[in-house]
Amino acid sequence: MSGIRLDDVTKRYPNGVRAVDDVTLDIADGEFMVLVGPSGCGKTTLLRSIAGLEDVTAGTIWIGDTDVTEKTPQQRDIAMVFQNYALYPHMTVADNLAYGLKLRRMPKGERDARVRDIAGKLGLDELLGRKPSALSGGQRQRVAMGRAIVREPKAFLMDEPLSNLDAKLRVSMRAELARLHERLGVTTVYVTHDQVEAMTLGERVAVMRDGVLQQVDTPQNLFNRPRNLFVAAFIGSPAMNLIEAKIDGGRVRFAGIDLPLPGGSPLAGQERRVILGLRPSDFEHAAGADPDWPRIRVKPDVVEQLGSETLLIFGVDAPPVMADAVRAAAEAYSDDDGRLFAGEERAMFTASVDGKRPLGSGEVELAVDFTALHCFDPETGDALAVRRDAQPVA
C-alpha cells in the first residue's frame, strides 16, 4: 500500500481550458479520499491523471516514494473501477476476476485461491460460473470491485462506480464499500458528484470547483466550518439557507429578523454587510428548544413530513442570494429541487425539525441556534470567523 501526493498539478488542454488548476493534495497511506464537485469541475480529469490516463501539463504525482508523473498506467500499480464496470461479457465471473492475474502469469493454483478468497469476501461464491448478463447491477458492481481488489494494487481509483445503480442499491453499496475499505485498508481515491455519497464514504473530502481545490477536510468540518460560500452551499442536504444580512454591533439583522452573535464573536462591534448562512438543522420547534435561543414565527409554504423529520419551507422578506458560487452549488445538486431560486423576490428557507412533534395549522414558532451562524464576505465569498474558536480564512 502507498499514499498519493500531488504537487502543483495542472492539466491544460490545447484550447486553453484548465481542467485542473495547480492542485496540491496529500492522500495518506490507507486513506479513503473523495473528490466531489459539479460536473466539469475537473475531478475525473484529476483521477485520470493519477492513473496515468491523462498527461499533466505541470506538477508531479507521487505514489508512495516513486515519482510516477512520466510512468505509464501499467507501471503505476493502481486499479480503477469505472462507472460502467467494463466487465468482459463472454467471460464468467471467475474468469473476469482472474483475468488481470492471468496477464501477470500468476500460477493457476495461486490465481484460483486468490479468486476464491475475494469472491468469499464480496459474497460472489455462488456466482462464479455466471456471465455478466445474468447478474444484477449490484452484483456486476461487486465483480468490478473484486477484479480490482484481487490484484492487490497500491491504490484504488474509483470513478462514479455507483451512479448506474438505483437509489436503494446505492445506499447498500455505499455501506459495502465502507466495510470493504475498513477490512482492506488500501488507499482509495473516489470521484462522485453526489455530496451525500461523498459525506458518507470519505474519511476526508476534497471539494473542487472549476479545476481548483476549494477545501480538503473531514465531512464534519466541511459541514460545520466551510471555508467559503461555494462549499457552504454545496455541502449539506437540504442545502444551507443563505441570505444577505447586516452586522450591527452584537447583532445580525435580515428581513426583519434580529439574531444575536455568539458570545465573544470577532464580528461583534462591527458594522458590515455579510451573507448569513443557517443550516436547516439549526432550527428547532420552539417548545422543545434551548430557552436562550431566539424565536421566530414563520408561515410554511410547504410542509414535507418524512417520518423522523419534517421539512418546513418558508419565505423570508429579502431577495435570494444570487452569487456565482451559490448558483454553481445549486446547479451541482444531483437531486436539485430548485429551492434556492424558487422565487425572484423572496428567498426560500428550509427548516428541518423533529418529525414526532405535531404541527398546528398556520404559523409555526421556531427556535434558532444562533451559536451555529455562518457569515461570508459578500465580495470574496470567504468565511468570516463568527465564534471565538473559529479562525477566518487567510
Side-chain angles (χ1 to χ4, degrees):
M1 294 187 295
S2 301
I4 297 172
R5 191 171 81 250
L6 311 177
D7 291 331
D8 304 318
V9 170
T10 294
K11 173 63 179 181
R12 185 171 53 249
Y13 288 105
N15 62 2
V17 172
R18 285 197 176 206
V20 177
D21 193 356
D22 199 24
V23 168
T24 294
L25 182 62
D26 200 344
I27 303 166
D29 185 8
E31 184 176 17
F32 199 119
M33 172 69 74
V34 176
L35 305 179
V36 68
S39 297
C41 72
K43 57 190 183 294
T44 293
T45 301
L46 187 60
L47 191 80
R48 288 172 60 84
S49 298
I50 297 171
L53 300 175
E54 294 275 2
D55 295 327
V56 298
T57 308
T60 54
I61 299 172
W62 297 77
I63 297 179
D65 297 326
T66 304
D67 181 350
V68 300
T69 312
E70 303 298 329
K71 292 185 179 294
T72 65
Q74 293 79 10
Q75 294 171 318
R76 300 190 185 199
D77 193 17
I78 50 88
M80 286 199 72
V81 180
F82 296 97
Q83 180 178 345
N84 62 3
Y85 312 141
L87 301 178
Y88 296 107
H90 62 287
M91 292 184 182
T92 64
V93 168
D95 289 338
N96 266 284
L97 292 174
Y99 186 68
L101 303 179
K102 191 174 182 180
L103 290 179
R104 293 185 174 193
R105 302 184 183 280
M106 179 178 287
K108 187 176 186 306
E110 184 180 350
R111 188 170 72 225
D112 291 346
R114 193 178 291 185
V115 166
R116 285 195 301 271
D117 177 55
I118 294 302
K121 288 179 179 178
L122 294 175
L124 299 171
D125 311 69
E126 305 299 320
L127 307 176
L128 289 175
R130 294 190 191 179
K131 291 185 177 179
S133 59
L135 303 177
S136 68
Q139 290 167 339
R140 287 196 292 271
Q141 196 270 350
R142 278 186 280 158
V143 175
M145 286 292 304
R147 191 175 57 184
I149 294 166
V150 76
R151 289 176 43 201
E152 298 182 355
K154 290 181 179 177
F156 295 138
L157 307 181
M158 302 186 186
D159 189 8
E160 307 246 22
L162 307 185
S163 60
N164 285 341
L165 305 179
D166 62 56
K168 186 175 181 180
L169 190 52
R170 277 203 307 272
V171 172
S172 64
M173 290 310 302
R174 284 204 302 262
E176 186 93 19
L177 275 174
R179 284 195 298 268
L180 193 60
H181 178 262
E182 186 175 350
R183 190 184 310 143
L184 299 174
V186 178
T187 306
T188 302
V189 185
Y190 186 103
V191 161
T192 181
H193 68 279
D194 185 338
Q195 55 94 15
V196 175
E197 195 168 282
M199 297 285 279
T200 54
L201 278 174
E203 293 175 280
R204 285 193 302 156
V205 177
V207 183
M208 296 186 68
R209 179 191 176 199
D210 296 336
V212 178
L213 276 183
Q214 302 294 304
Q215 185 172 351
V216 183
D217 218 324
T218 63
Q220 281 302 310
N221 280 341
L222 290 176
F223 186 84
N224 293 317
R225 297 182 180 87
R227 288 191 62 198
N228 58 41
L229 198 53
F230 175 79
V231 176
F234 184 76
I235 295 296
S237 181
M240 180 183 284
N241 302 299
L242 296 165
I243 197 78
E244 291 189 11
K246 183 179 181 182
I247 301 290
D248 186 3
R251 318 288 296 183
V252 57
R253 297 186 170 93
F254 66 97
I257 297 172
D258 186 330
L259 301 176
L261 288 168
S265 170
L267 295 178
Q270 298 185 25
E271 287 192 13
R272 62 175 298 170
R273 304 297 301 178
V274 297
I275 293 177
L276 176 70
L278 279 168
R279 295 282 183 198
S281 54
D282 293 330
F283 294 92
E284 286 190 16
H285 285 289
D290 187 319
D292 292 333
W293 290 4
R295 268 58 176 169
I296 63 173
R297 296 194 69 84
V298 303
K299 184 173 178 56
D301 294 296
V302 179
V303 176
E304 295 182 352
Q305 295 180 318
L306 306 178
S308 61
E309 67 174 339
T310 297
L311 299 183
L312 307 177
I313 303 168
F314 56 93
V316 295
D317 292 325
V321 173
M322 304 297 283
D324 288 344
V326 179
R327 283 185 176 278
E331 290 167 2
Y333 269 76
S334 58
D335 58 348
D336 181 26
D337 52 15
R339 285 182 195 152
L340 282 170
F341 305 105
E344 293 183 2
E345 301 299 328
R346 301 177 77 216
M348 301 302 293
F349 269 29
T350 301
S352 172
V353 298
D354 185 357
K356 296 178 182 178
R357 285 186 174 271
L359 290 173
S361 58
E363 287 191 339
V364 177
E365 188 177 34
L366 297 175
V368 183
D369 182 1
F370 69 99
T371 67
L373 299 178
H374 299 265
C375 288
F376 304 91
D377 187 304
E379 300 300 323
T380 66
D382 290 339
L384 303 169
V386 178
R387 296 166 294 280
R388 276 181 295 188
D389 62 344
Q391 296 298 317
V393 175

